[in-house]
């Protein structure tokens, strides 16, 4: 095509800037116009000192013109700036500016952004990557996302830049103010409020990514994280960290000099007024700048933050433990609730790993019946988004396992508040049990009456012998809220004991007395020896996990 | 507690969409419903699971001690008549007490006083740390037949010395000790089962 606007003089070679679409041409025109509006001396000075095109646009707060043209390359942008500065330029009036005579070099790595806004970086394989345009860079990122196989509805872009970038931002503002404050164009063209380079990067990538991934950017559970790190310390960085000791490396010239005063600061989003800089401490770059040898390294990651699925489980087997229980490579029990439930959910969500949490636990030989026990499964980096249909599927799958050890109900997705809900229920609530009890003499009706009449009795339990090896020896006060004896037809010495107790009560010990270390006990209350044959949990009261 | 096979087969009803669950149209009785409708079937199911089969129940079940501990006996430890038992738990803890033929029981009136004084210090007030401790019982000087760290002495014996007479092998235990594995093996080598102990003592 013959349109001259599509080409740019870049040190003698014609560089094609963009494709032939009309909107791109408009965008390009806007960029050229914006470039021409800049003071040529300042632009030439910045370019010769190794500041990249995008950083120049950012510095003068005209970066928004770049956004509609994501395909424009860094080198083309620099060329446009150079061209407009030269055609406008008259005599340079900056005493130390020798740019009009000196040959302009292509900026390898920008002094301010260290290549970040040039989309130049060392990738994970330590190869130099030059993604000239925003769209090319975004494509690389989108490819990583697609490779991971996440099903996404939105994304959140997380950026981590080396702290030195903020120092560079402040230094260049300060330099510009000092150098050009007196110029007529300063107030108008050099606004006091500006965004950070981090936010500029975010702006540059958001729309292209939205387009490539076909979803919107918002506070999402799906994170795309770009982590930039310095490859090795550049000479400038060494200057900054050493502070005033490096005087001999600086030119003592009023106009060019910057003194280093302060500390490295964090890189949160902020808008700074250049008026403030005089009063604050800031890091310093010196002009003319040392050449930055290496760009940053970049790691592109994407992951979904943990999702939480919970409900209540029932355990029908006396040979299944709640959690994985393996001693010396040997599994204790036949299976675990954790593995049955978590192990079913994980592949359906296509996650990396899972964590299982329940509100309390029962022994391997105790069944969990009735309302069931609240539990929460955390799935890390799920590729599959949860939906009602999917949750139904999960519930169905767990409940139709051949062995029928475990069932789940009221399955639903929780937000991150799920943990808080679990914690809250664990230690405070009441639990209900049924035990099969044997006593050493026949039961009589008085016993049934006595037991039913006891309400909210306090018992003292020393740490049961069966756990004394791993728990400290304590005496715990517990409350038995109520009890009820249900006779078993055909037996005079066996009966069902229904009881409701405070969380944390050792039920077995309450029945057999643990050699007198739990007092009172059923045996002591009935005045005979009592033994427990089997125990079932029938209710774990916790409101948030009801249907 | 005895092991019972409770993995019964039970029907697995279709689980309807949680969102459209209404009290009146409840189809799945296993899902808990706050309003209580449909809960009856669930209660029936629960009841069925809870009540044991009477035929399966043993006439006299094993005690908690029999189920969870292994009991050993040692005769004449350090001096004649100092017969002791050890209930050893799978977790390594040893409950020690006076065996049925201990000389202290020879007194027809039974044991009337227990104190844990040894010299200057009253063992019951000392915190549980340390190595081998000596325990005195009545007039006799009873040393625990297993070496280990003392976790607990049975302070109830002070108020209720009759426990030694009525249930020396349960509520009347003397102390709980955690021996080191090698110390336990050494002690165990000298010990007898109940049958062996019984046989030995009855022939005297």
């Amino acid at each position: 095509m013959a349109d001259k606007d599509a080409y740019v003089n870049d040190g003698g070679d014609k560089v094609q800037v963009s494709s032939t679409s009309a909107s791109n041409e408009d965008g390009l025109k806007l960029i050229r116009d914006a470039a021409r509006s800049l003071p040529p001396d300042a632009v030439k000075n910045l370019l010769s000192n190794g500041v990249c095109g995008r950083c120049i646009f950012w510095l003068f707060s005209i970066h928004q013109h770049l956004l509609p043209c994501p395909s424009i390359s860094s080198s083309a942008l620099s060329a446009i700036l150079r061209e407009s500065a030269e055609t406008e330029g008259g005599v340079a009036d900056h005493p130390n500016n020798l740019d009009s005579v000196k040959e302009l070099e292509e900026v390898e790595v920008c002094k301010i952004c260290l290549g970040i806004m040039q989309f130049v970086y060392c990738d994970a394989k330590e190869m130099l990557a030059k993604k000239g345009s925003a769209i090319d860079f975004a494509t690389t990122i989108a490819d990583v996302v697609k490779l991971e196989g996440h099903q996404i509805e939105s994304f959140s872009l997380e950026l981590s830049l080396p702290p030195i970038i903020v120092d560079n931002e402040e230094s260049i503002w300060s330099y510009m103010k000092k150098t050009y404050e007196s110029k007529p164009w300063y107030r108008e063209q050099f606004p006091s409020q500006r965004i950070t380079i981090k936010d500029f990067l975010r702006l540059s990538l958001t729309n292209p990514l939205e387009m490539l991934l076909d979803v919107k950017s918002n506070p999402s559970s799906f994170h795309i994280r770009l982590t930039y790190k310095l490859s090795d310390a550049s000479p400038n960085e060494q200057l900054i960290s050493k502070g005033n000791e490096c005087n001999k490396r600086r030119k003592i010239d009023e106009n060019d000099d910057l003194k280093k005063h302060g500390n490295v600061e964090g890189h949160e989003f902020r808008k700074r007024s250049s008026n403030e800089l005089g009063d604050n401490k800031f890091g310093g770059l010196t002009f003319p700048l040392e050449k930055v040898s290496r760009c940053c390294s970049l790691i592109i990651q994407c992951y979904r933050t943990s999702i939480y699925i919970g409900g209540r489980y029932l355990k029908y087997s006396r040979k299944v433990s709640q959690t994985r229980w393996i001693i010396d490579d040997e599994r204790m029990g036949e299976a675990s609730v954790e593995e049955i439930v978590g192990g079913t959910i994980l592949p359906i969500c296509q996650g990396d790993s899972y964590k299982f949490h329940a509100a309390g636990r029962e022994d391997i030989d105790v069944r969990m019946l009735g309302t069931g026990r609240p539990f929460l499964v955390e799935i890390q980096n799920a590729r599959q988004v949860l939906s009602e249909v999917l949750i139904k599927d999960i519930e169905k799958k767990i409940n139709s396992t051949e062995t029928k050890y475990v069932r789940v109900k009221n399955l639903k997705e929780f937000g991150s508040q799920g943990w808080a809900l679990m914690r809250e229920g664990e230690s405070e609530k009441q639990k209900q049990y049924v035990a099969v009890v044997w006593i050493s003499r026949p039961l009589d009706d008085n016993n049934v009456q006595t037991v039913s009449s006891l309400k909210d009795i306090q018992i003292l339990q020393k740490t049961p012998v069966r756990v004394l090896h791993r728990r400290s020896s304590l005496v715990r006060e517990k409350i038995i809220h109520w009890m009820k004896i249900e006779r078993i037809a055909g037996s005079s010495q066996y009966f069902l004991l229904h009881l409701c107790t405070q969380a944390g009560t050792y039920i077995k010990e309450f029945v057999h007395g643990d050699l007198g270390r739990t007092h009172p006990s059923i045996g002591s209350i009935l005045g005979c020896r009592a033994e427990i044959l089997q125990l079932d949990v029938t209710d774990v009261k916790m409101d948030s996990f009801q249907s | 507690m005895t092991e019972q096979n409770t993995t019964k087969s039970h029907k697995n009803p279709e689980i309807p969409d949680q969102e459209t669950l209404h009290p009146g149209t409840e189809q799945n009785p296993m899902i808990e419903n706050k309003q209580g409708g449909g809960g009856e079937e669930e209660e029936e199911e629960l009841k069925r699971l809870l009540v044991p089969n009477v035929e399966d129940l043993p006439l006299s079940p094993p005690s908690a001690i029999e189920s969870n501990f292994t009991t050993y006996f040692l005769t004449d430890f350090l001096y004649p008549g100092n017969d002791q038992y050890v209930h050893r738990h799978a977790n390594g803890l040893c409950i020690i007490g006076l065996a049925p033929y201990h000389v202290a029981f020879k007194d027809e009136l039974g044991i009337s006083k227990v104190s844990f004084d040894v010299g200057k210090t009253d063992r019951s007030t000392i915190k549980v740390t340390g190595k081998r401790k000596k325990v005195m019982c009545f007039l006799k000087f009873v040393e625990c037949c297993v070496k280990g760290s003392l976790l607990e002495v049975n302070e109830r014996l002070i108020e209720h010395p009759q426990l030694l007479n009525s249930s020396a092998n349960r509520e009347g235990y003397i102390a709980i000790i955690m021996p080191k594995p090698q110390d336990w093996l050494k002690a165990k080598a000298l010990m007898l089962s109940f049958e062996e102990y019984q046989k030995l003592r009855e022939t005297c």
Side-chain angles (χ1 to χ4, degrees), chain A residues 367 399 494 517 531-532 534, chain B residues 1 4 12 49 58 64 152:
Chain A
R367 292 183 301 182
N399 292 343
Y494 283 101
R517 299 168 72 259
E531 304 290 351
I532 182 169
Q534 69 183 44
Chain B
M1 275 177 50
Q4 286 199 347
N12 187 24
L49 285 170
E152 199 175 286

Side-chain angles (χ1 to χ4, degrees), chain A residues 163-361:
Chain A
I164 197 181
I165 300 288
V166 174
D167 293 341
N168 293 357
E169 289 174 29
E170 291 175 348
S171 303
I172 194 68
W173 296 340
S174 166
Y175 168 76
M176 294 295 285
K177 175 176 162 138
K178 274 192 142 164
T179 318
Y180 297 111
E181 201 169 12
S182 51
K183 297 289 178 186
W185 51 260
Y186 184 79
R187 286 259 166 253
E188 214 183 280
Q189 296 210 259
F190 211 65
S192 54
Q193 296 265 12
R194 59 180 59 81
I195 62 169
T196 61
I197 284 180
K198 188 195 246 191
D199 288 315
F200 181 23
L201 181 62
R202 189 187 303 279
L203 276 177
S204 308
L205 292 175
T206 300
N207 284 347
L209 280 174
E210 282 185 343
M211 195 190 76
L212 289 167
L213 297 172
D214 203 19
V215 290
K216 286 276 169 229
S217 159
N218 58 36
S220 167
S221 63
F222 182 71
H223 290 202
I224 301 176
R225 185 173 194 90
L226 305 184
T227 310
Y228 286 93
K229 285 206 164 96
L230 294 173
S231 300
D232 45 49
S234 66
N236 282 331
E237 198 219 3
Q238 282 163 356
L239 262 179
I240 280 162
S241 47
K242 282 181 191 165
N244 288 329
E245 299 162 39
C246 306
N247 290 337
K248 54 184 181 230
R249 302 188 74 179
R250 291 164 23 184
K251 278 199 175 168
I252 326 274
D253 183 289
E254 280 175 14
N255 289 325
D256 287 346
D257 236 14
L258 294 170
K259 283 199 197 297
K260 148 86 175 141
H261 292 288
N263 317 309
V264 175
E265 290 179 316
H267 47 84
E268 296 101 13
F269 171 87
R270 53 190 182 206
K271 287 191 173 179
R272 296 286 299 271
S273 144
S274 36
N275 293 328
E276 290 179 329
L277 289 174
D279 302 321
N280 292 355
K281 299 184 175 180
F282 49 84
L285 294 172
T286 61
F287 272 65
L289 297 165
E290 308 276 349
K291 216 178 174 71
V292 177
S293 48
R294 290 182 68 181
C295 55
C296 296
S297 67
L298 169 64
I299 297 176
I300 304 173
Q301 295 165 303
C302 62
Y303 56 90
R304 186 180 302 283
T305 52
S306 291
I307 57 173
Y308 301 88
I309 306 172
R312 286 180 179 253
Y313 75 81
L314 284 84
K315 181 167 84 85
Y316 294 100
S317 166
R318 297 193 191 279
K319 295 186 177 138
V320 172
S321 55
Q322 190 197 66
T323 53
R324 261 177 103 234
W325 188 12
I326 296 184
I327 297 178
D328 297 333
D329 289 341
E330 233 188 275
R331 172 189 291 285
M332 311 300 283
E334 289 181 10
S336 71
V337 177
E338 174 183 45
E339 287 165 292
I340 292 172
V341 174
T344 304
I345 298 179
L346 185 70
I348 293 178
C349 292
Q350 294 171 55
D352 284 346
S353 57
Y354 69 86
K355 285 186 192 163
F356 178 88
H357 264 257
R361 59 178 183 272

Side-chain angles (χ1 to χ4, degrees), chain A residues 30-43:
Chain A
L30 281 170
I31 291 174
R32 281 183 188 278
D33 289 345
R36 283 195 200 109
S37 74
L38 298 178
D41 308 325
V43 171

Side-chain angles (χ1 to χ4, degrees), chain A residues 23 81 113 119 150 179 264 272 359 374 415 421 452 482 510 517 528:
Chain A
S23 58
L81 282 166
C113 70
F119 309 135
H150 284 86
T179 318
V264 175
R272 296 286 299 271
L421 291 175
S452 296
W482 54 259
F510 173 63
R517 299 168 72 259
C528 57

